[in-house]
Amino acid sequence: MVRLTMDLIAKNAGHKNRSEEDFGQYVQKLTHLNLSDKNIDSIGDLSFCRNLRVLYLYDNQINQIQNLDFASNITHLYLQNNRISSIENLSPLKKLEKLYLGGNYITVVEGLDKVGELRELHIESQHLPPGEKLLFDPVSLNSLAKSLSVLNISNNNIDELEELAVLENLSYLKAVDNQLKHMKDLEGVLKKWTKLRRIDLTGNPICQKPKYKDRIIVQSLTLESLDGKEIQEMERRFLMNWKASRAARQKSNERKTDEQAAKVESSDFEVPYFTIPLHPSRPVKEKKEKPDFLDLAHKQKGERKPPPRIRERRSQVKTQAQDFISYRCEAPKPETPISKGIQGDEVFSQAVTGTDTPST
């Protein structure tokens, strides 16, 4: 195994045959140091590299972060694909902006509470024990809440994002190949990430949900890219209008349901009545009663007087009838018609004309 020391730096820089004074001046001016894929297993004393800004140590065998007290000016630290199991000893790195730890053996994101300027954290594809997921220390998350803008947590068996909602300045989240399933959980976090510009959730079960893409675009108004595809403004406007119309329909249906329920409740205590809707442009006309033609005919018949000739004739007939009745009452009873052989009609004729039938 190889230890990171000044000799290794000198060998890597090609200063082996130069004087120590020249090498000392060289490392003091050094700002970028690339020692990737050198089979390094530990970090030694690098106290002379005080102006170092960028340190590349990826693809090695480093199992612990240590001996970085000198590195107060480092802004970029690349430690991916090593054997690191814990994030520690980073408090001296006051100016650290980008930290790359992907492909290690880290199980808990911690030890970042003293790194107040960190803007990017790449901790994807950790070698986790079977069935476990990457965890986050709340103290470290709260410390990064106002500074962190880029977070890569891909391939870490993560099944929820709720604890990451405190990262209020997050602009890019990469969470590819995890176990995110619940749309409500994601929508709740998107409401709090008001500065989010890009998000990549490719390879999660949530991507198979109905209208997955539409719901995310509508929920996050600042989002510009989803799963590597740019979001068109026209597409967002269409989805927003669709969401508004659906919400209006739901509200209308709820109001109708409430009104029907209220009517059903009131019908148990009140006598039902019906109202007739009135047309706003037509005046209401009073309903006229239909005339009774039978009563009208009797009334007109009683009021109508017959002509004088008819009245006179009626009077004559009435007088004759009365005279006939009086005569029948006063005249003596005739002999039985059968005994004299006279028919009943002849008797009646004699009574009317006042003549006697001659005897036979």
Side-chain angles (χ1 to χ4, degrees):
M1 294 296 178
V2 179
R3 183 178 177 82
L4 177 57
T5 60
M6 298 300 295
D7 293 336
L8 182 61
I9 295 175
K11 181 180 179 180
N12 184 72
H15 285 73
K16 184 176 181 180
N17 297 325
R18 295 190 179 186
S19 64
E20 293 183 0
E21 183 178 356
D22 291 341
F23 178 69
Q25 293 177 354
Y26 167 75
V27 294
Q28 287 181 3
K29 296 179 181 180
L30 195 63
T31 59
H32 290 66
L33 180 60
N34 188 348
L35 293 173
S36 60
D37 197 16
K38 301 296 182 182
N39 206 28
I40 299 171
D41 64 340
S42 62
I43 303 174
D45 183 13
L46 299 176
S47 57
F48 288 98
C49 304
R50 294 189 177 277
N51 288 319
L52 200 62
R53 299 286 189 275
V54 181
L55 178 58
Y56 298 95
L57 292 174
Y58 58 86
D59 295 338
N60 283 294
Q61 300 296 321
I62 300 171
N63 53 31
Q64 185 180 11
I65 302 174
Q66 59 183 352
N67 296 325
L68 294 177
D69 297 342
F70 73 94
S72 59
N73 291 319
I74 285 185
T75 59
H76 296 59
L77 180 59
Y78 295 82
L79 289 170
Q80 59 267 53
N81 299 326
N82 281 279
R83 303 187 66 83
I84 300 170
S85 59
S86 177
I87 304 175
E88 56 187 346
N89 301 322
L90 293 176
S91 56
L93 281 63
K94 302 297 183 181
K95 296 182 180 180
L96 186 63
E97 297 179 358
K98 298 182 180 182
L99 177 60
Y100 294 82
L101 291 170
N104 281 284
Y105 292 80
I106 299 169
T107 58
V108 181
V109 178
E110 58 185 351
L112 298 174
D113 50 301
K114 302 297 183 181
V115 187
E117 299 296 327
L118 192 64
R119 294 190 294 107
E120 294 188 18
L121 175 60
H122 301 263
I123 194 166
E124 72 282 358
S125 302
Q126 298 301 309
H127 297 280
L128 300 168
E132 295 190 12
K133 65 178 181 178
L134 183 66
L135 302 176
F136 296 87
D137 174 35
V139 177
S140 294
L141 287 177
N142 289 327
S143 299
L144 300 174
K146 296 186 179 299
S147 63
L148 196 67
S149 60
V150 177
L151 178 61
N152 186 352
I153 53 174
S154 298
N155 193 24
N156 283 316
N157 294 330
I158 296 174
D159 56 3
E160 61 179 0
L161 300 174
E162 185 176 0
E163 55 188 342
L164 302 180
V166 298
L167 303 175
E168 56 187 58
N169 283 318
L170 196 65
S171 63
Y172 177 37
L173 174 67
K174 188 172 184 179
V176 174
D177 296 330
N178 280 294
Q179 299 300 320
L180 299 175
K181 302 177 182 178
H182 304 293
M183 199 68 198
K184 289 185 178 180
D185 173 41
L186 179 59
E187 289 177 339
V189 176
L190 290 175
K191 290 181 181 179
K192 299 179 181 180
W193 289 339
T194 57
K195 297 182 180 180
L196 192 66
R197 296 289 183 271
R198 293 187 297 162
I199 186 171
D200 193 348
L201 302 176
T202 307
N204 283 274
I206 197 173
C207 297
Q208 306 301 322
K209 297 287 184 178
K211 298 189 180 298
Y212 150 77
K213 181 180 178 181
D214 296 347
R215 293 175 67 176
I216 291 181
I217 293 176
V218 170
Q219 190 63 57
S220 179
L221 301 181
T222 59
L223 202 62
E224 299 174 355
S225 174
L226 173 60
D227 297 343
K229 297 181 180 180
E230 184 179 357
I231 299 173
Q232 301 295 330
E233 187 59 30
M234 183 178 297
E235 180 182 11
R236 172 178 280 113
R237 191 179 301 113
F238 170 80
L239 293 173
M240 291 295 294
N241 293 336
W242 170 78
K243 180 183 178 182
S245 62
R246 185 182 67 171
R249 288 196 302 270
Q250 290 178 349
K251 187 175 181 180
S252 177
N253 293 335
E254 291 175 358
R255 184 172 63 253
K256 291 180 180 179
T257 302
D258 294 341
E259 291 176 354
Q260 292 176 355
K263 289 181 179 180
V264 171
E265 292 178 359
S266 62
S267 64
D268 295 336
F269 304 98
E270 299 179 359
V271 178
Y273 62 93
F274 301 93
T275 57
I276 301 176
L278 301 179
H279 196 284
S281 61
R282 298 179 181 177
V284 180
K285 296 181 179 181
E286 295 183 359
K287 185 177 179 180
K288 296 182 179 180
E289 296 183 358
K290 295 183 179 180
D292 191 337
F293 293 101
L294 185 60
D295 293 343
L296 183 60
H298 286 295
K299 184 177 180 181
Q300 292 178 352
K301 184 177 180 180
E303 293 178 353
R304 188 175 55 185
K305 295 181 179 181
R309 293 176 59 186
I310 296 178
R311 290 201 302 269
E312 183 180 356
R313 179 60 181 164
R314 286 180 179 176
S315 179
Q316 293 177 357
V317 172
K318 185 177 180 180
T319 302
Q320 292 179 0
Q322 290 176 354
D323 292 343
F324 173 74
I325 293 172
S326 299
Y327 173 81
R328 289 297 304 267
C329 293
E330 295 177 358
K333 293 183 181 180
E335 296 180 358
T336 303
I338 297 175
S339 60
K340 289 189 175 184
I342 301 175
Q343 299 296 329
D345 293 338
E346 294 177 352
V347 174
F348 176 77
S349 177
Q350 292 175 5
V352 172
T353 57
T355 57
D356 296 332
T357 303
S359 59
T360 54

